[in-house]
Amino acid sequence: MNCRYFAQYFAITLLAALGLAACGGGSGAEAPTYVTNPEGARIATVGGDISMTTPRADAAAIRLRDGRVLICGGTSNGQVGGVLSSAELYDPVAHSFTPTGAMNDAREGQTITMLTDGRVLLIGGVKNVGFRAELASAEIYDPSTGTFSPTGSMTTPREGHTATLLRDGRVLVTGGSDNGTHTLDSAEIYDPAAGTFSRAGHLYQPRIAHTATRLLNGAVLIAGGGRGDRPGGYIAYDTAEIFDPATSRFTPLRVRMVNARVGAAAVLLQSGRALIVGGKSGQILTAGIAPNLASLTPLDTAEFYDPESGLFAATARMGAPHYLPTTTLLDNGQVLVVGGWVMQGPTIVGMRDGEVYDPAWNRFSRVGRTNVARLENTATLLDGGDVLIAGGIDGSSNITAAVELYSARAHRFATLPEAAALGISSSPTAAPAN
């Protein structure tokens, strides 16, 4: 996220794909202050609104089985030494955030996966910015104890990778980069029973910032992404391949995607089709010392992959381009798309556009704007159908601790005080606190 590091060639191409750079964020970020609610809980606030206990961008978040949300890692200021090992829990009944146990390694850009027993697996990422250090390590969060513990390490460090829970409870890890410039074609599988990683063959193409979606038949669709360590500059892919857990083999699809996409987001629809949204498309040529990132075109398009026909098909266009968005499958089968990357001159900032894809009509509809512009935020579906949107890079290129809810019933974004006043709550019972 450091602007000076971002200006270097290999960093500029790779970080553009991953969204790990934001010029200016850090010292201007508004730190939370704290108040005590009537129940005696210490609640963090930013500008009077309930917020996370620390600013976070490029963090990882997941809903636990008891309805609380675990948010961990990320960077607090986008500077060297700003990567976080801390974690916190959101209680959807109290609308409050409280710290939980710290990770064993500070991590930014790690994947997060719910295992079949309710524990949470964190894999890879980077432990610093500027002078980067990709991580091969992994760890597990146990909600019953509120603690993280190390588990087996990958065979290679990875950032920009994917992690997908397979039907048998193992986790498939694909692609990424092991040093910030080299793109990987390797894959491996984590076995939670043994607590170990093992090699799982090779992708047909090295990929970073791709999508991975487990289909209804148990196979995993690997789509898009890009590669920077090649002659001619950075390229985005319009190719896809399928991983078959029964054979541990990757098979390239003969059909191409509608658009080449790097930094897109994907979600499995209730119909079994995989929706792939936004990203950037195109190629950077190395005619100069530092290629222009704007030559990668932000996309306002989306497409779906239909496993029955084996084809990709375009949807209606979105209301705005979304590069590095979040996608959340709502309880009604629609998909919420939030945030992404906007260039304001040489500065990278978040965007406030939010929209919803309706599979029944195959179209996107705007649903207002977020209260805070966001890039590299998290978006987590809560019990009851609302979506917790937390952190990220705001419209001033600062990393924020601000949070808000999207109400699928009211079709609007609300701050947590507004949500409490409106009775927007996403859990019928209070969650226990660690």
Side-chain angles (χ1 to χ4, degrees):
M1 292 208 176
N2 185 288
C3 289
R4 289 166 292 181
Y5 182 68
F6 183 66
Q8 300 173 23
Y9 166 66
F10 283 112
I12 201 170
T13 55
L14 183 61
L15 297 183
L18 295 177
L20 299 178
C23 302
S27 60
E30 188 174 4
T33 56
Y34 295 88
V35 298
T36 301
N37 71 4
E39 289 75 31
R42 190 166 179 258
I43 297 176
T45 69
V46 168
D49 289 335
I50 298 168
S51 67
M52 293 186 292
T53 62
T54 186
R56 298 178 191 271
D58 204 20
I62 200 165
R63 184 182 69 191
L64 304 176
R65 286 183 173 175
D66 62 12
R68 295 175 299 168
V69 176
L70 171 68
I71 306 176
C72 54
T75 179
S76 63
N77 56 27
Q79 305 298 323
V80 174
V83 177
L84 299 166
S85 62
S86 65
E88 53 192 291
L89 293 168
Y90 171 68
D91 182 333
V93 174
H95 292 298
S96 63
F97 292 83
T98 54
T100 187
M103 295 186 291
N104 293 272
D105 287 311
R107 297 176 190 272
E108 176 188 354
Q110 72 274 21
T111 56
I112 188 166
T113 310
M114 175 75 74
L115 301 176
T116 55
D117 61 5
R119 297 180 301 159
V120 178
L121 176 67
L122 289 304
I123 299 176
V126 295
K127 64 180 181 182
N128 212 337
V129 292
F131 299 98
R132 305 170 68 79
E134 284 71 20
L135 293 165
S137 64
E139 48 193 294
I140 288 180
Y141 178 75
D142 187 340
S144 67
T145 62
T147 58
F148 293 86
S149 55
T151 187
S153 291
M154 294 183 289
T155 60
T156 184
R158 296 177 194 269
E159 63 164 319
H161 56 291
T162 61
T164 310
L165 182 69
L166 303 176
R167 277 181 171 176
D168 61 10
R170 298 178 301 159
V171 178
L172 172 69
V173 182
T174 65
S177 174
D178 56 358
N179 62 9
T181 60
H182 175 240
T183 307
L184 297 166
D185 68 352
S186 62
E188 42 197 301
I189 286 182
Y190 175 74
D191 183 347
T196 57
F197 288 86
S198 58
R199 297 183 186 275
H202 292 270
L203 298 161
Y204 270 75
Q205 288 180 297
R207 296 178 192 268
I208 190 168
H210 51 290
T211 66
T213 311
R214 193 183 82 185
L215 305 175
L216 294 181
N217 64 1
V220 179
L221 172 70
I222 312 293
R227 181 177 183 178
D229 56 340
R230 60 182 299 279
Y234 197 94
I235 188 169
Y237 292 141
D238 64 355
T239 61
E241 47 194 288
I242 295 285
F243 176 77
D244 184 348
T247 61
S248 292
R249 291 182 179 178
F250 293 89
T251 302
L253 294 179
R254 295 181 179 180
V255 298
R256 299 272 179 164
M257 301 171 65
V258 176
N259 287 107
R261 299 178 189 273
V262 62
V267 66
L268 186 68
L269 301 175
Q270 292 177 348
S271 65
R273 297 178 298 175
L275 177 70
I276 306 172
V277 173
K280 279 193 174 185
S281 181
Q283 181 174 352
I284 296 173
L285 300 177
T286 56
I289 296 176
N292 181 7
L293 288 178
S295 63
L296 282 178
T297 305
L299 296 170
D300 65 357
T301 63
E303 58 191 282
F304 60 81
Y305 172 72
D306 185 348
E308 292 188 4
S309 66
L311 300 175
F312 290 93
T315 70
R317 290 182 178 270
M318 294 184 286
H322 287 268
Y323 172 47
L324 300 168
T326 59
T327 53
T328 309
L329 181 67
L330 304 176
D331 288 345
N332 61 8
Q334 298 176 357
V335 178
L336 174 68
V337 181
V338 171
W341 165 308
V342 174
M343 294 291 293
Q344 290 184 354
T347 304
I348 302 163
V349 300
M351 63 189 299
R352 293 181 58 194
D353 299 79
E355 40 199 303
V356 164
Y357 174 70
D358 187 342
W361 295 93
N362 193 27
R363 69 187 182 194
F364 288 86
S365 300
R366 290 184 180 270
V367 288
R369 308 186 79 198
T370 55
N371 291 276
V372 175
R374 299 186 188 272
L375 165 66
E376 293 182 342
N377 58 285
T378 63
T380 310
L381 182 69
L382 303 175
D383 290 338
D386 299 326
V387 180
L388 176 71
I389 301 164
I393 300 165
D394 66 15
S396 299
S397 197
N398 294 319
I399 295 173
T400 182
V403 297
E404 55 193 289
L405 288 179
Y406 172 74
S407 171
R409 291 160 291 182
H411 304 290
R412 58 165 292 188
F413 297 95
T415 64
L416 292 190
E418 289 176 322
L422 293 170
I424 299 173
S425 178
S426 297
S427 180
T429 58
N434 284 327

